Amino acid sequence: MSKYYLTTPIYYPNARPHVGSAYTTIVCDVIARYRRMCGDEVAFLTGTDEHGEKLQRAAAAAGESPGDFVAAKRELFKKLWRDLNISEYKFVHTSQNPDHVRSVQWMLRQANKNGYIEKKEYEGRYCVDDERYISDGAEPANCDICGRPAELISEQNYFFKLSAFQERLLRLYEERPEFVRPDFRLNEVKSFVKSGLRDISVSRRRIKWGIPWPDDPEQVFYVWYDALTSYMTGIGFQSEDPARQAEFQKFWPADLHMIGKDILRFHAVYWPAFLMAAEMPLPKMVFAHGWIYYEADKMSKSKGNVVYPEPIVDALDSFGAPGNDALRYYLLREAPFGQDTSFSYDALIQRFNSDLANDLGNLVSRTVAMLHQFSAGSVPPAVSLKNQQGTIQLITAYQEAFERFDFSSALSFVWGLISEANKLIVQAKPWELAKSASAADQDKLRETLYITAQFLRVISVLLCPVMPISAKWIWKQLGQTRDLEDERIDDSLKFKFLEPATKVGKAEPIFPRLDKEATLAKLYELAEADMEQDKPKEASKPVQIGKPTDSSPTPSTESRVSTPESRVSTPESRAATPDSRIPTPAPSQISIEDFAKVDMRVGEVVSAEPVANATKLLKLMVDIGAEVRQVVAGVAEYYQPEQLVGMKVVLVTNLQPRKLRGVESNGMVVAASVGPEGRPVLATFKEDVPKGAKLK
Ligand code: ME8
C-alpha cells in the first residue's frame, strides 16, 4: 500500500465559499476517492488561511474581532464540504493554532540559520487583495493578478533571499518537470524565474493579525509564508502528539498540491524556495487548474455574479435528481481539466439530460428491468467473456487518463462502456430473444443480460470517485452488498465478474429527465432565496448570479465594451436590464485622484476588421495622435467595419494590454450599454475634436 498526500489551497475565509472554491475541493475529493480505490493510504488536506491584511480588513468591516470573524467563516467551509459529500479530510486553520505557530517559526529559524533572512527598509506597492508586493519604489502600479491599484507601503521588514534560489529552482524544473503541471504552466513558471527573482519581504510591521515573528514582537509573518507552511502543519508537523508526528513522517512530502492558476507562483516558486531554505523535502507536484467563469465572465463578488453550489444542488435534488453528483459530474466532464471553463446552467441541464438521464439512466433501468423480466430477478449464469478486449482497453484508458488528471477523458471512456452496453442491447434485442423457443436464442439472451450487467458492474466502480451516490445506487440495484468503495480500481477490475444467481435489487430510476424551463426557474428561485438568506450577514456586498440569456460562452470581458452577455455581470448592464434578477448596487464613490488614473483620449478609427473565429469582435486601429493603437472591441454584431472607419471614439489608453482570441488589445473603446440586450453604442463627439485630446 503506498501513501498519497494531496492538498487543496487553504481558502481565505473572508466570505462564503463559492463554486470556484468548491471546484478545487471537489477535484481533490475525486482524486482522493480514486486513490483510495487504487489501494493507497490517502491523506487529504483542506483548510482556511486566516491571517493577513485582507482578513483583518474584512473583520473590521463586519465589526468583529479577526479571531471571531474567521472562526465563524471557517464553519461555512466545513458545512459546504459536508453538503457536497466531500470524503474524509483533514482540516487545518492557521490562526489560533499553536502547532502552526511552531511550524512557521521553525521554518523561519531554519532559513535564518542558513543565511536566507535579512532585515531591511522597504518601500513599494502592495496588493492587499492578493497579499503580494507588486513593485519596488513609489511609482503607481496595478496588481497583475487582480488589476487593482496597489497601495504604497514602507516599513522595516525581514526579507527572504529568494534571489539566491534562482539557479536551484531552474534546476528543479529541468530535473523534475512533473513538479509543475500542466506543461504550459511549467513554461510560465520557468520564464518567470529566468527573468530574475527579487528578494521578498516575509514579515509585516503595520498589521497585528498574524503569526508573531520570533524575537521581534513588532512584526508578524507575511501571510503566504504562514499559509504555505500549513501544508505541513495539517499533517502533524510540530505537533506535540507523537501519533501526529508519525503521520507527518509518513505523509510528507506531499504528492500533490492542487491549486488554481491564480496562485501558481506562490506554490511553484516561493514554496520550494522556502522549503529548500529550511532543508525540507519538496512536494512532488503542483497542478494548477484553470478558472471557472460565470457565463464566460470572471466571478467576483463586486460584480455580483458569484455562483454558489448549494442552491444548484438543492434545485436538482428537488426534481429527484442527485444534485451533488450531477454538479460534480458537470464540473469534471465539461472542460479539459487544466483549462478555463465557463459555468452555465444551460450546459449543466444539457449534460444532465444527455449523459446522465439518457445514456447512463436508460442503461441502468433497462438492464435491471430486463434482469427482472427475463431472468427471474437474478444475474444469469456466467458466460465466457470472449470479447473482453474492448472493455479492457477502455478501463486502461480510464486509468491512464485519471493518472494525468484528465478527468473529462476518463469519463468519456466510461461513456464508451455505456455506449457499448447500450449498443449490445439494441443489437441483440433481448425482448425478441425472450419470445423465441430456440435454445440458441435463450443462450444469447442469457449472454446479453450477463454481459450488460457486467458492464454496469464495471461502470459503477469507475464512476464511484466522481459520482459516489449514484454509483452506489447502481451497485445496489445490481444486488451487490459489499461496500462499493472497497472495490479496487486496478487491473483486477478487468477480471472480476458478477456472481451468477445474485438477486438484483428493485429497478429505480436514478436520473429523471429535467424539463429545461422548470429547472432553470427553480435554479433562479433558489439562487435568489439563497441570496436573501445571506443578506443580513453580508448586507453591504451584492451577491447574486444573474439570469443568463445566452448559453453560448462568449467572453464578454474580452470585448472590452458591454455586450449582451455582460449584462449579467456589470452594474451598468444590470441597470439596463429591466427583467434582470440582479439588484443594482449603488456605484461606490471614488476620489478625483482615482478618476485621474484613467487616461482617456480622443482617437480616430483608421481601420476595422473582424477577428477570426470571433463573431462579436472587431480589431480596430485607432489613431490617438502620438501613436496608432490596436484594440479589440466587442461591437461586431452592431457595427459594420466600414461604419467605424473615420469615426472619432473615446479610448481608454492605460489599461494593461491583453489578448482576445489571440489578438492583442491595447486599450478599450468606450460605449454605452443600451436596452435589455446591452447593445453597445460607441461614444463619439458632435464637434470636431483633435486626435489625442485628453478627456477629463
Ligand atoms: O488564494 N475557478 O485563497 P482563495 C476555479 N488563501 N477555482 C477557483 C475560483 C474560480 N472561479 N475561485 C477560487 C487563496 N478558486 C490563498 C491560498 S494556499 C497555501 C493559500 C479556487 O480563497 C482556486 O483553487 O482566494 C484558487 O487557487 C483558490 O480557490 C483560491 O482561494
Side-chain angles (χ1 to χ4, degrees):
M1 189 191 257
S2 40
K3 69 92 189 172
Y4 194 86
Y5 175 37
L6 81 164
T7 63
T8 73
I10 56 165
Y11 301 104
Y12 290 126
N14 56 335
R16 187 184 151 192
H18 56 66
V19 91
S21 341
Y23 181 57
T24 317
T25 305
I26 287 173
V27 165
C28 285
D29 182 50
V30 168
I31 299 170
R33 287 173 182 272
Y34 172 80
R35 299 257 42 124
R36 287 188 200 111
M37 290 182 77
C38 291
D40 288 350
E41 189 181 357
V42 172
F44 166 20
L45 182 78
T46 186
T48 40
D49 182 1
E50 302 181 344
H51 286 131
E53 189 152 10
K54 186 156 142 166
L55 262 311
Q56 189 175 294
R57 287 189 185 183
E64 289 177 39
S65 73
D68 289 349
F69 179 81
V70 296
K73 287 275 189 284
R74 191 189 296 156
E75 295 310 310
L76 298 179
F77 284 80
K78 292 185 185 168
K79 179 176 178 309
L80 181 62
W81 306 151
R82 263 195 310 279
D83 289 350
L84 289 176
N85 193 23
I86 301 301
S87 62
E88 188 187 332
Y89 61 83
K90 296 170 193 301
F91 193 97
V92 65
H93 60 89
T94 55
S95 75
Q96 300 142 309
N97 181 345
D99 287 359
H100 188 55
V101 172
R102 275 194 298 277
S103 294
V104 175
Q105 294 188 341
W106 184 91
M107 285 287 285
L108 184 275
R109 287 200 171 99
Q110 286 289 106
N112 193 29
K113 187 186 85 188
N114 291 330
Y116 294 116
I117 302 292
E118 67 175 337
K119 192 174 186 182
K120 57 182 181 184
E121 179 68 29
Y122 178 80
E123 184 184 58
R125 293 277 167 181
Y126 184 74
C127 173
V128 173
D129 274 281
D130 288 303
E131 300 276 15
R132 54 195 288 270
Y133 286 98
I134 307 304
S135 62
D136 296 331
E139 272 295 288
N142 289 344
C143 173
D144 55 358
I145 292 181
C146 70
R148 295 186 178 91
E151 292 183 16
L152 180 64
I153 64 166
S154 100
E155 51 180 41
Q156 277 270 322
N157 282 166
Y158 292 94
F159 274 71
F160 176 82
K161 293 186 188 165
L162 186 62
S163 56
F165 291 88
Q166 180 159 351
E167 289 312 313
R168 283 168 73 181
L169 286 169
L170 288 172
R171 215 176 318 128
L172 165 71
Y173 310 138
E174 277 318 309
E175 287 169 3
R176 290 176 40 194
E178 73 289 352
F179 182 73
V180 182
R181 296 284 87 189
D183 220 28
F184 67 99
R185 298 279 176 219
L186 175 66
N187 292 336
E188 277 173 34
V189 170
K190 275 188 190 166
S191 45
F192 172 73
V193 174
K194 275 185 192 150
S195 72
L197 292 176
R198 294 187 304 144
D199 294 346
I200 52 168
S201 154
V202 285
S203 74
R204 296 287 179 273
R205 222 179 100 130
R206 68 207 175 107
I207 64 166
K208 296 283 160 268
W209 182 238
I211 291 192
W213 193 264
D215 314 320
D216 187 342
E218 291 207 312
Q219 307 258 354
V220 299
F221 276 84
Y222 169 44
V223 67
W224 272 99
Y225 198 91
D226 155 357
L228 289 160
T229 307
S230 75
Y231 293 142
M232 288 158 58
T233 316
I235 43 149
F237 186 59
Q238 295 295 314
S239 167
E240 286 174 334
D241 174 354
R244 298 220 59 218
Q245 286 168 16
E247 207 178 310
F248 177 77
Q249 293 307 329
K250 180 197 281 179
F251 284 107
W252 192 258
D255 293 84
L256 172 66
H257 293 312
M258 181 61 76
I259 56 166
K261 64 179 185 180
D262 53 320
I263 53 176
L264 177 61
R265 207 175 286 173
F266 302 102
H267 284 78
V269 182
Y270 291 15
W271 182 223
F274 294 162
L275 288 166
M276 285 171 183
E279 298 169 88
M280 290 298 285
L282 306 186
K284 296 190 184 141
M285 183 185 291
V286 172
F287 192 109
H289 64 64
W291 266 52
I292 302 188
Y293 292 83
Y294 176 62
E295 304 265 332
D297 198 0
K298 186 169 176 173
M299 272 187 237
S300 113
K301 287 202 117 184
S302 53
K303 286 185 190 164
N305 66 346
V306 180
V307 179
Y308 293 108
E310 299 93 328
I312 299 172
V313 172
D314 290 347
L316 297 179
D317 279 351
S318 76
F319 293 100
N324 225 317
D325 278 5
L327 179 64
R328 292 164 71 101
Y329 175 72
Y330 166 76
L331 290 174
L332 268 81
R333 179 72 196 263
E334 192 63 8
F337 189 65
Q339 307 286 328
D340 291 338
T341 177
S342 182
F343 186 94
S344 125
Y345 284 158
D346 277 12
L348 171 69
I349 297 171
Q350 159 78 21
R351 275 264 167 226
F352 185 93
N353 280 340
S354 72
D355 298 5
L356 300 183
N358 254 11
D359 300 343
L360 178 59
N362 274 345
L363 176 66
V364 177
S365 55
R366 285 208 281 190
T367 305
V368 181
M370 288 190 307
L371 288 170
H372 279 285
Q373 220 179 333
F374 308 130
S375 183
S378 60
V379 175
V383 292
S384 65
L385 295 162
K386 296 177 234 80
N387 295 325
Q388 274 287 285
Q389 218 38 48
T391 307
I392 289 177
Q393 274 168 7
L394 283 170
I395 297 175
T396 308
Y398 165 100
Q399 288 171 308
E400 288 169 358
F402 234 104
E403 296 293 330
R404 50 175 201 272
F405 307 124
D406 182 358
F407 306 109
S408 187
S409 299
L411 287 165
S412 75
F413 296 126
V414 181
W415 258 255
L417 293 168
I418 294 171
S419 123
E420 286 296 305
N422 274 326
K423 210 160 69 197
L424 178 68
I425 297 174
V426 171
Q427 281 167 358
K429 300 191 179 65
W431 49 94
E432 287 183 6
L433 296 173
K435 288 186 213 145
S436 159
S438 102
D441 282 347
Q442 288 304 316
D443 280 351
K444 178 97 192 280
L445 173 64
R446 277 192 290 276
E447 184 185 80
T448 307
L449 294 184
Y450 187 86
I451 296 176
T452 320
Q454 173 63 20
F455 264 124
L456 264 192
R457 180 190 196 285
V458 174
I459 289 163
S460 26
V461 175
L462 297 182
L463 281 184
C464 189
V466 179
M467 300 202 294
I469 298 171
S470 313
K472 285 178 191 173
W473 210 351
I474 301 171
W475 191 243
K476 195 168 145 229
Q477 291 193 38
L478 277 178
Q480 303 303 300
T481 48
R482 274 165 55 90
D483 188 343
L484 176 56
E485 286 173 9
D486 290 340
E487 291 298 305
R488 287 281 159 266
I489 299 181
D490 57 18
D491 285 347
S492 71
L493 174 66
K494 297 168 184 169
F495 308 101
K496 265 193 156 178
F497 300 106
L498 277 172
E499 200 55 43
T502 306
K503 279 269 163 235
V504 297
K506 215 168 112 220
E508 284 171 309
I510 301 188
F511 304 106
R513 218 187 145 70
L514 296 173
D515 174 79
K516 187 173 165 190
E517 291 311 310
T519 312
L520 282 175
K522 194 70 178 174
L523 284 162
Y524 296 129
E525 179 199 321
L526 295 193
E528 250 176 64
D530 186 64
M531 180 192 72
E532 285 302 314
Q533 197 190 345
D534 230 21
K535 260 187 185 160
K537 280 171 266 152
E538 296 183 35
S540 58
K541 303 164 200 160
V543 182
Q544 174 59 321
I545 51 174
K547 179 182 177 184
T549 51
D550 182 349
S551 60
S552 62
T554 315
S556 60
T557 45
E558 292 191 354
S559 67
R560 295 281 178 121
V561 296
S562 291
T563 56
E565 294 76 17
S566 70
R567 77 180 190 272
V568 294
S569 55
T570 65
E572 299 83 351
S573 55
R574 271 175 249 153
T577 314
D579 69 336
S580 165
R581 291 160 181 266
I582 314 158
T584 309
S588 55
Q589 294 193 330
I590 58 168
S591 66
I592 188 75
E593 289 77 22
D594 285 338
F595 178 72
K597 287 179 194 156
V598 183
D599 186 64
M600 283 188 282
R601 304 278 168 169
V602 175
E604 184 178 313
V605 179
V606 288
S607 72
E609 59 183 79
V611 171
N613 303 323
T615 51
K616 305 188 185 215
L617 303 181
L618 287 183
K619 183 176 95 177
L620 310 179
M621 300 305 290
V622 183
D623 184 351
I624 51 170
E627 60 178 308
V628 177
R629 283 286 183 96
Q630 173 174 305
V631 294
V632 178
V635 296
E637 288 182 314
Y638 300 94
Y639 288 90
Q640 294 302 320
E642 51 282 10
Q643 269 178 285
L644 296 177
V645 176
M647 187 170 173
K648 291 268 171 65
V649 293
V650 176
L651 192 75
V652 179
T653 61
N654 60 342
L655 281 175
Q656 287 172 350
R658 60 176 296 195
K659 280 201 169 163
L660 310 170
R661 299 285 154 101
V663 181
E664 186 155 303
S665 185
N666 292 301
M668 182 181 86
V669 183
V670 176
S673 172
V674 178
E677 82 283 16
R679 176 170 64 91
V681 177
L682 292 174
T684 186
F685 299 90
K686 274 190 165 173
E687 279 177 42
D688 194 22
V689 276
K691 289 175 281 193
K694 188 170 164 59
L695 279 89
K696 44 188 191 170

